[in-house]
Structure formats: structure tokens, C-alpha cells
Amino acid sequence: AASRGAMDDPFATTAMSMFIENAVLPADLDKVKDLRRSLFEMQSVYSYCAEHYAKRYYALIAPLLGIATTIALLGAVWPFRDEEPVPTVGRVILAILGAISTMLTSMLALLKFQTKMDAFNRAATQIDGLTHKLSFATKYRRQRAKISACDVRRIIGQVEEMLSEVRAKVPPISMELWIAGCKKNQALEKLRRGRPAAAPP
């Protein structure tokens, strides 16, 4: 009878619904863990892709700068005289270097290594920010911070929305790069697990 009276009491019903709404459920915690794991994986993949395209970009830009400098120096100090074959040899060498420089410049413009490198670097940085934002939702477990379930779900929703925006801005990733990035994430995950936990404040 007492329980039936409590159920009929509007104040008790409202208080119970608010308690249930603000209670952090195990499903919320599991979702935070899964999302955090997904963020770590994507950050590792994006970082690996950025390194992949950075190596190819610098492998092209370094010879291009060297060739451009060589052309400028040879054009200034080469002893062009009227006698043959010195002028012909000098012009041939400069022409070959100029052709190589043009080819490298065209490859950089066509393959867009720098654009892809910058895009993946920005995406990895944004993912890192989302990871820190999501870690705020799990601090109550380690530091007993007063975070309600509504706050946890709101943070999860914001992170998922921003994650979709980040995914839409990155170039397509090949399966080979994705697998290599996942292997890097697995190595980092082992390192994180082996690191001693910080002492509570």
C-alpha cells in the first residue's frame, strides 16, 4: 500500500524519473569506451597517413629545390663562350635539369601530397581534441567528479557529430594505409596499457 501511494504521488514519480534520467547507465559507459577506442584508432590512422604523404612530398620537394638551385648556379657561372662544344654541353645540361624540375613540379601538383598531408594532420589534431573532450566524461570514475548522465550523453552526441565532420573532410584512405594505421594503433595501445596509472589526487 505504501509503495502504491508512492507511485501515485506526482512528486515521488517526478523525483524517480529525474533520478533515472541522471543516473549514468552501464550502456553509457560502454558507449564512451567504444567511442574513445574508435577515436584512438582514427587518430593513429590519420597520423600514419599524414606521415605517409609527408615522406612522399619531401622525397619530391627536396630534389626539386636542389635542381632549381643547381640550375640557377650553373646558369650564372657556366663559362659560355663562342667556341664549341662548351656552350652546347652547358645548354644540354641546363635543359635536362629544367625538364626534371618541370616533371617534379607536375608530379607535386598532380599527386597533391602536401594537400593530403595537411588534411590528415588537421584531422589527427581535431581527433586529439575530441579525445580530450570525451575523457572529461570519464573523469567522474577516476576523480569522482559530479557529471550527470545527461552531460555524458550530451558530450557523446557532440563528439559523434564533430567526428562525422572530420571524416567528411579527409581524403579517401586505401585499405593498405588503414591496415598499417591500425597496426600503429595496436602498438600504441600496448604502450598505453603498459604505462603505470597516475595516482589519484
Side-chain angles (χ1 to χ4, degrees):
S3 60
R4 182 178 301 176
M7 292 178 61
D8 295 337
D9 187 0
F11 178 77
T13 303
T14 304
M16 180 62 68
S17 62
M18 291 178 62
F19 174 78
I20 295 175
E21 183 180 1
N22 291 326
V24 179
L25 302 177
D28 297 327
L29 301 181
D30 293 338
K31 193 168 186 178
V32 169
K33 290 180 180 179
D34 293 339
L35 186 56
R36 192 165 182 263
R37 189 180 302 111
S38 177
L39 288 175
F40 277 130
E41 179 178 321
M42 293 185 63
Q43 184 181 8
S44 298
V45 172
Y46 289 164
S47 298
Y48 182 84
C49 291
E51 295 174 0
H52 172 81
Y53 289 114
K55 291 177 181 178
R56 280 149 182 77
Y57 171 72
Y58 291 120
L60 292 178
I61 196 65
L64 179 60
L65 295 176
I67 291 174
T69 304
T70 303
I71 292 176
L73 292 176
L74 288 181
V77 304
W78 192 276
F80 289 105
R81 293 188 295 268
D82 295 334
E83 301 89 29
E84 294 291 342
V86 175
T88 302
V89 174
R91 292 189 181 94
V92 169
I93 293 176
L94 291 178
I96 293 175
L97 292 177
I100 296 175
S101 177
T102 302
M103 182 184 65
L104 293 177
T105 303
S106 301
M107 291 178 63
L108 285 173
L110 179 64
L111 299 175
K112 299 180 179 179
F113 286 148
Q114 184 180 11
T115 303
K116 295 177 181 179
M117 174 186 69
D118 294 339
F120 282 114
N121 275 327
R122 285 194 300 268
T125 302
Q126 292 174 347
I127 293 294
D128 183 64
L130 294 180
T131 303
H132 288 293
K133 184 180 181 66
L134 187 64
S135 66
F136 176 78
T138 57
K139 283 184 179 180
Y140 72 95
R141 296 189 65 189
R142 301 189 303 268
Q143 302 178 3
R144 298 179 180 179
K146 296 181 179 179
I147 302 178
S148 64
C150 295
D151 294 331
V152 173
R153 293 163 190 163
R154 177 176 54 82
I155 293 175
I156 292 175
Q158 292 176 351
V159 170
E160 289 178 339
E161 182 179 358
M162 297 175 68
L163 182 59
S164 299
E165 296 178 359
V166 172
R167 286 176 174 174
K169 295 179 181 179
V170 296
I173 303 175
S174 64
M175 184 62 64
E176 180 182 358
L177 289 179
W178 186 269
I179 293 175
C182 291
K183 290 181 180 179
K184 177 182 177 181
N185 179 66
Q186 292 175 359
L188 292 175
E189 186 66 24
K190 292 181 180 179
L191 182 62
R192 284 192 291 265
R193 290 178 180 177
R195 187 174 56 187

